[in-house]
Amino acid sequence: MARPLAALERFFERLFERPAARLFRTSIQPVQLERRIERAMEAERHIGAQRTYVPDRYRVQLEPADLAGFAGYQATLEAELSAAVLDRVRRRGYTLAEAPRVTLHGNPGVAPGDIVVLTGRRDPLDARPAPQGFARLDVAAGPAGPPAPVSPAEREGTAAFSLAEAPIPAVALQVEVPGQPVRLFPIRTGSLSIGRGQDNDLILADERVSRRHGRLAVRQGALVYDDLDSTNGSFVDGRRVHQVVLGLSDEVWLGGCRLTVVAEEPAAWTP
Protein backbone atom coordinates (compact mmCIF):
# COMPACT_ATOMS: atom_id res chain seq x y z
CA MET A 1 0.00 0.00 0.00
CA ALA A 2 1.35 3.44 -0.92
CA ARG A 3 2.30 5.73 1.91
CA PRO A 4 -0.29 8.52 2.54
CA LEU A 5 2.24 11.29 1.90
CA ALA A 6 3.34 9.76 -1.40
CA ALA A 7 -0.29 9.37 -2.49
CA LEU A 8 -1.00 13.02 -1.64
CA GLU A 9 2.09 14.08 -3.60
CA ARG A 10 0.92 12.16 -6.66
CA PHE A 11 -2.53 13.79 -6.37
CA PHE A 12 -1.06 17.29 -6.58
CA GLU A 13 1.17 16.23 -9.47
CA ARG A 14 -1.90 15.14 -11.42
CA LEU A 15 -3.74 18.32 -10.45
CA PHE A 16 -1.06 20.84 -11.49
CA GLU A 17 1.79 19.37 -13.54
CA ARG A 18 -0.07 17.34 -16.14
CA PRO A 19 -2.70 19.93 -17.23
CA ALA A 20 0.08 22.52 -17.58
CA ALA A 21 2.13 20.16 -19.74
CA ARG A 22 -0.85 19.49 -22.00
CA LEU A 23 -1.65 23.20 -22.38
CA PHE A 24 1.85 24.53 -22.99
CA ARG A 25 3.61 21.37 -24.22
CA THR A 26 6.71 22.03 -22.12
CA SER A 27 9.52 19.52 -22.55
CA ILE A 28 10.40 17.18 -19.70
CA GLN A 29 13.81 17.91 -18.17
CA PRO A 30 16.26 15.24 -16.95
CA VAL A 31 16.11 16.63 -13.41
CA GLN A 32 12.36 15.89 -13.38
CA LEU A 33 13.09 12.26 -14.26
CA GLU A 34 15.68 12.07 -11.47
CA ARG A 35 13.30 13.50 -8.88
CA ARG A 36 10.49 11.14 -9.92
CA ILE A 37 12.84 8.14 -9.73
CA GLU A 38 13.96 9.24 -6.25
CA ARG A 39 10.32 9.43 -5.12
CA ALA A 40 9.67 5.96 -6.53
CA MET A 41 12.72 4.64 -4.63
CA GLU A 42 11.54 6.11 -1.33
CA ALA A 43 7.97 4.92 -1.84
CA GLU A 44 9.08 1.34 -2.56
CA ARG A 45 11.77 0.88 0.10
CA HIS A 46 11.37 -2.04 2.47
CA ILE A 47 12.92 -2.00 5.92
CA GLY A 48 14.30 -5.34 7.11
CA ALA A 49 15.82 -6.35 10.42
CA GLN A 50 19.19 -4.73 9.64
CA ARG A 51 18.92 -3.27 6.13
CA THR A 52 16.67 -1.07 4.04
CA TYR A 53 16.07 -2.55 0.61
CA VAL A 54 15.19 -0.43 -2.43
CA PRO A 55 14.42 -1.36 -6.04
CA ASP A 56 17.34 -1.82 -8.42
CA ARG A 57 15.37 -1.46 -11.67
CA TYR A 58 13.52 1.68 -12.74
CA ARG A 59 11.48 1.57 -15.94
CA VAL A 60 10.52 5.15 -16.82
CA GLN A 61 7.56 5.39 -19.20
CA LEU A 62 6.87 8.58 -21.15
CA GLU A 63 4.48 9.66 -23.84
CA PRO A 64 6.33 8.93 -27.16
CA ALA A 65 6.63 12.62 -28.12
CA ASP A 66 8.16 13.38 -24.71
CA LEU A 67 10.59 10.48 -25.10
CA ALA A 68 11.60 11.84 -28.52
CA GLY A 69 12.95 14.91 -26.74
CA PHE A 70 15.83 12.76 -25.48
CA ALA A 71 16.70 11.35 -28.91
CA GLY A 72 20.41 11.35 -29.57
CA TYR A 73 21.48 11.01 -25.94
CA GLN A 74 18.99 8.58 -24.40
CA ALA A 75 21.64 5.96 -23.59
CA THR A 76 23.83 8.60 -21.93
CA LEU A 77 20.88 9.90 -19.93
CA GLU A 78 19.97 6.39 -18.79
CA ALA A 79 23.55 5.84 -17.60
CA GLU A 80 23.57 9.17 -15.74
CA LEU A 81 20.24 8.44 -14.05
CA SER A 82 21.51 4.99 -13.03
CA ALA A 83 24.61 6.61 -11.52
CA ALA A 84 22.41 9.09 -9.65
CA VAL A 85 20.41 6.19 -8.18
CA LEU A 86 23.61 4.47 -7.04
CA ASP A 87 24.89 7.70 -5.47
CA ARG A 88 21.63 8.18 -3.52
CA VAL A 89 21.70 4.55 -2.36
CA ARG A 90 25.25 4.95 -1.04
CA ARG A 91 24.53 8.26 0.69
CA ARG A 92 21.46 6.89 2.46
CA GLY A 93 22.94 3.49 3.29
CA TYR A 94 20.30 1.51 1.40
CA THR A 95 20.80 -2.04 0.10
CA LEU A 96 20.61 -3.23 -3.52
CA ALA A 97 20.63 -6.79 -4.85
CA GLU A 98 22.26 -5.64 -8.08
CA ALA A 99 23.67 -2.51 -9.69
CA PRO A 100 20.80 -0.09 -10.39
CA ARG A 101 19.60 0.38 -13.95
CA VAL A 102 17.27 3.05 -15.34
CA THR A 103 15.67 2.66 -18.77
CA LEU A 104 13.38 5.03 -20.70
CA HIS A 105 10.43 3.75 -22.73
CA GLY A 106 7.71 5.28 -24.86
CA ASN A 107 4.12 4.39 -24.02
CA PRO A 108 1.04 5.88 -25.75
CA GLY A 109 -0.97 5.19 -22.59
CA VAL A 110 0.99 7.85 -20.67
CA ALA A 111 -0.40 11.38 -20.79
CA PRO A 112 1.79 14.15 -22.28
CA GLY A 113 4.02 15.67 -19.62
CA ASP A 114 3.48 12.70 -17.29
CA ILE A 115 6.26 10.47 -15.92
CA VAL A 116 5.39 6.93 -14.84
CA VAL A 117 8.08 4.98 -12.98
CA LEU A 118 7.70 1.23 -12.64
CA THR A 119 10.15 -0.37 -10.24
CA GLY A 120 11.48 -3.88 -9.85
CA ARG A 121 13.79 -5.57 -7.42
CA ARG A 122 15.57 -8.88 -7.24
CA ASP A 123 15.48 -10.83 -4.00
CA PRO A 124 19.04 -10.68 -2.56
CA LEU A 125 18.85 -14.43 -1.88
CA ASP A 126 18.20 -15.06 -5.57
CA ALA A 127 21.37 -13.15 -6.40
CA ARG A 128 23.54 -15.42 -4.28
CA PRO A 129 25.38 -18.28 -6.04
CA ALA A 130 23.95 -21.77 -5.68
CA PRO A 131 25.56 -24.05 -3.05
CA GLN A 132 28.45 -26.20 -4.24
CA GLY A 133 27.20 -29.18 -6.21
CA PHE A 134 23.88 -27.51 -7.09
CA ALA A 135 22.66 -25.39 -9.99
CA ARG A 136 20.17 -22.55 -9.69
CA LEU A 137 17.02 -22.85 -11.80
CA ASP A 138 15.77 -19.54 -13.22
CA VAL A 139 12.39 -19.10 -14.88
CA ALA A 140 12.86 -18.14 -18.52
CA ALA A 141 11.26 -14.86 -19.48
CA GLY A 142 8.69 -14.85 -22.28
CA PRO A 143 9.07 -12.84 -25.48
CA ALA A 144 8.87 -9.09 -24.99
CA GLY A 145 6.03 -7.29 -26.73
CA PRO A 146 5.09 -3.64 -27.27
CA PRO A 147 4.37 -1.66 -24.09
CA ALA A 148 0.76 -1.86 -22.95
CA PRO A 149 -1.24 1.22 -21.89
CA VAL A 150 -0.69 2.09 -18.25
CA SER A 151 -3.75 1.62 -16.07
CA PRO A 152 -4.40 3.83 -13.00
CA ALA A 153 -3.75 0.85 -10.72
CA GLU A 154 -0.46 0.07 -12.47
CA ARG A 155 0.73 3.65 -11.97
CA GLU A 156 0.62 3.11 -8.21
CA GLY A 157 2.29 -0.31 -8.31
CA THR A 158 5.49 -1.99 -9.35
CA ALA A 159 6.54 -4.17 -12.25
CA ALA A 160 9.38 -6.64 -12.72
CA PHE A 161 11.05 -7.28 -16.07
CA SER A 162 13.80 -9.44 -17.48
CA LEU A 163 17.37 -8.22 -17.95
CA ALA A 164 20.02 -8.93 -20.55
CA GLU A 165 23.13 -10.73 -19.32
CA ALA A 166 25.81 -8.18 -18.42
CA PRO A 167 29.54 -8.67 -19.06
CA ILE A 168 31.88 -9.46 -16.19
CA PRO A 169 33.96 -6.39 -15.27
CA ALA A 170 37.73 -6.74 -15.73
CA VAL A 171 38.72 -5.54 -12.27
CA ALA A 172 41.00 -6.58 -9.44
CA LEU A 173 41.48 -5.89 -5.74
CA GLN A 174 44.50 -3.95 -4.60
CA VAL A 175 45.15 -5.56 -1.21
CA GLU A 176 46.99 -3.63 1.50
CA VAL A 177 47.67 -5.51 4.75
CA PRO A 178 49.76 -3.90 7.54
CA GLY A 179 53.36 -5.14 7.40
CA GLN A 180 52.96 -6.79 3.98
CA PRO A 181 53.69 -5.60 0.42
CA VAL A 182 50.77 -4.38 -1.69
CA ARG A 183 49.42 -7.08 -4.01
CA LEU A 184 46.79 -7.39 -6.72
CA PHE A 185 44.10 -10.05 -6.49
CA PRO A 186 42.18 -10.51 -9.80
CA ILE A 187 38.42 -10.98 -9.64
CA ARG A 188 36.99 -13.61 -11.97
CA THR A 189 33.57 -15.28 -11.81
CA GLY A 190 31.45 -16.50 -8.93
CA SER A 191 32.20 -15.36 -5.40
CA LEU A 192 35.32 -14.57 -3.41
CA SER A 193 35.45 -15.30 0.32
CA ILE A 194 37.55 -12.92 2.44
CA GLY A 195 38.76 -13.37 6.00
CA ARG A 196 41.52 -14.36 8.41
CA GLY A 197 40.84 -18.10 8.15
CA GLN A 198 43.01 -20.26 5.92
CA ASP A 199 39.96 -21.60 4.07
CA ASN A 200 39.21 -18.22 2.42
CA ASP A 201 39.99 -17.29 -1.17
CA LEU A 202 41.59 -14.04 0.03
CA ILE A 203 43.38 -14.41 3.37
CA LEU A 204 44.02 -11.27 5.45
CA ALA A 205 46.52 -11.72 8.28
CA ASP A 206 45.01 -9.18 10.66
CA GLU A 207 43.61 -10.02 14.11
CA ARG A 208 40.87 -7.42 13.64
CA VAL A 209 39.56 -9.37 10.63
CA SER A 210 37.08 -12.18 11.35
CA ARG A 211 37.77 -15.72 10.18
CA ARG A 212 34.90 -15.42 7.68
CA HIS A 213 34.63 -11.66 7.29
CA GLY A 214 33.01 -10.95 3.92
CA ARG A 215 32.23 -12.12 0.41
CA LEU A 216 32.70 -10.40 -2.94
CA ALA A 217 30.59 -11.56 -5.90
CA VAL A 218 29.93 -10.57 -9.50
CA ARG A 219 26.19 -10.28 -10.12
CA GLN A 220 24.74 -9.15 -13.44
CA GLY A 221 27.97 -7.32 -14.24
CA ALA A 222 28.07 -5.57 -10.85
CA LEU A 223 30.56 -6.09 -8.04
CA VAL A 224 28.69 -6.68 -4.77
CA TYR A 225 30.29 -6.95 -1.33
CA ASP A 226 28.51 -8.69 1.59
CA ASP A 227 29.66 -8.51 5.19
CA LEU A 228 29.21 -11.94 6.83
CA ASP A 229 28.24 -10.62 10.28
CA SER A 230 31.87 -9.87 11.11
CA THR A 231 32.84 -8.75 14.60
CA ASN A 232 34.51 -5.46 13.68
CA GLY A 233 32.53 -4.74 10.54
CA SER A 234 33.27 -3.62 6.97
CA PHE A 235 33.52 0.05 6.07
CA VAL A 236 33.13 2.03 2.82
CA ASP A 237 33.61 5.81 2.89
CA GLY A 238 33.79 5.67 6.69
CA ARG A 239 30.37 4.03 7.00
CA ARG A 240 29.77 0.49 8.18
CA VAL A 241 28.09 -1.54 5.45
CA HIS A 242 26.33 -4.88 5.29
CA GLN A 243 25.90 -5.03 1.52
CA VAL A 244 27.11 -2.56 -1.09
CA VAL A 245 27.66 -2.31 -4.85
CA LEU A 246 31.27 -1.32 -5.57
CA GLY A 247 32.81 0.64 -8.44
CA LEU A 248 36.29 1.60 -9.55
CA SER A 249 38.42 3.25 -6.82
CA ASP A 250 36.00 2.25 -4.04
CA GLU A 251 37.81 1.21 -0.86
CA VAL A 252 36.59 -1.42 1.61
CA TRP A 253 38.24 -1.43 5.04
CA LEU A 254 38.37 -4.67 7.04
CA GLY A 255 40.23 -4.09 10.30
CA GLY A 256 43.50 -2.43 9.25
CA CYS A 257 43.33 -3.84 5.72
CA ARG A 258 42.31 -1.78 2.71
CA LEU A 259 40.84 -3.38 -0.40
CA THR A 260 40.64 -1.04 -3.41
CA VAL A 261 38.79 -1.86 -6.64
CA VAL A 262 41.12 -1.17 -9.59
CA ALA A 263 40.98 -1.87 -13.32
CA GLU A 264 42.71 -5.10 -14.29
CA GLU A 265 42.88 -3.83 -17.87
CA PRO A 266 43.20 -0.28 -19.23
CA ALA A 267 39.50 -0.11 -20.04
CA ALA A 268 37.59 1.53 -17.20
CA TRP A 269 34.46 0.06 -15.68
CA THR A 270 31.82 1.75 -13.55
CA PRO A 271 28.74 -0.08 -12.23
Side-chain angles (χ1 to χ4, degrees):
M1 181 180 295
R3 294 178 175 81
L5 188 59
L8 183 62
E9 186 179 55
R10 282 191 290 270
F11 168 77
F12 283 110
E13 288 171 356
R14 289 191 292 268
L15 185 62
F16 295 109
E17 293 181 7
R18 297 170 191 172
R22 284 192 286 269
L23 284 174
F24 301 104
R25 195 59 183 179
T26 57
S27 60
I28 295 177
Q29 300 300 313
V31 67
Q32 293 175 268
L33 301 179
E34 183 177 344
R35 296 294 176 263
R36 195 63 61 86
I37 291 169
E38 289 176 352
R39 289 199 287 268
M41 176 194 298
E42 298 298 332
E44 296 299 329
R45 59 191 172 97
H46 289 262
I47 301 176
Q50 295 180 330
R51 307 174 185 177
T52 299
Y53 295 93
V54 294
D56 45 53
R57 293 299 181 262
Y58 298 84
R59 188 181 181 95
V60 181
Q61 297 199 349
L62 305 171
E63 194 268 338
D66 289 332
L67 179 63
F70 303 115
Y73 69 104
Q74 179 176 332
T76 299
L77 178 59
E78 290 175 340
E80 291 178 349
L81 291 172
S82 300
V85 170
L86 181 58
D87 180 66
R88 184 178 181 86
V89 167
R90 286 174 169 168
R91 285 188 286 108
R92 293 182 173 264
Y94 294 154
T95 297
L96 293 165
E98 296 177 345
R101 183 183 179 192
V102 177
T103 53
L104 306 181
H105 305 267
N107 191 331
V110 177
D114 196 3
I115 303 171
V116 177
V117 180
L118 305 179
T119 63
R121 63 167 54 83
R122 186 178 183 185
D123 190 324
L125 291 179
D126 289 340
R128 298 181 185 274
Q132 186 175 3
F134 292 84
R136 185 176 299 282
L137 295 179
D138 294 319
V139 180
V150 179
S151 66
E154 189 179 20
R155 296 186 185 194
E156 307 298 331
T158 62
F161 43 90
S162 60
L163 304 172
E165 189 67 25
I168 297 171
V171 295
L173 282 182
Q174 179 176 289
V175 182
E176 299 174 66
V177 179
Q180 297 184 10
V182 177
R183 55 191 170 119
L184 283 181
F185 197 99
I187 300 170
R188 303 304 183 190
T189 59
S191 63
L192 176 73
S193 61
I194 305 172
R196 195 179 74 252
Q198 296 298 311
D199 56 342
N200 289 286
D201 298 311
L202 177 56
I203 302 171
L204 302 177
D206 186 330
E207 290 300 322
R208 290 165 292 183
V209 175
S210 298
R211 292 186 56 82
R212 299 283 290 181
H213 200 108
R215 178 184 294 113
L216 199 60
V218 177
R219 303 172 187 166
Q220 290 289 332
L223 199 59
V224 183
Y225 175 81
D226 287 281
D227 183 272
L228 302 179
D229 296 324
S230 63
T231 301
N232 294 318
S234 305
F235 294 83
V236 176
D237 294 331
R239 175 179 294 180
R240 186 164 184 167
V241 297
H242 297 284
Q243 184 182 71
V244 65
V245 178
L246 300 174
L248 278 177
S249 302
D250 279 343
E251 298 178 353
V252 184
W253 284 87
L254 285 61
C257 305
R258 177 168 63 179
L259 310 180
T260 306
V261 181
V262 297
E264 188 181 10
E265 297 177 355
W269 167 77
T270 302

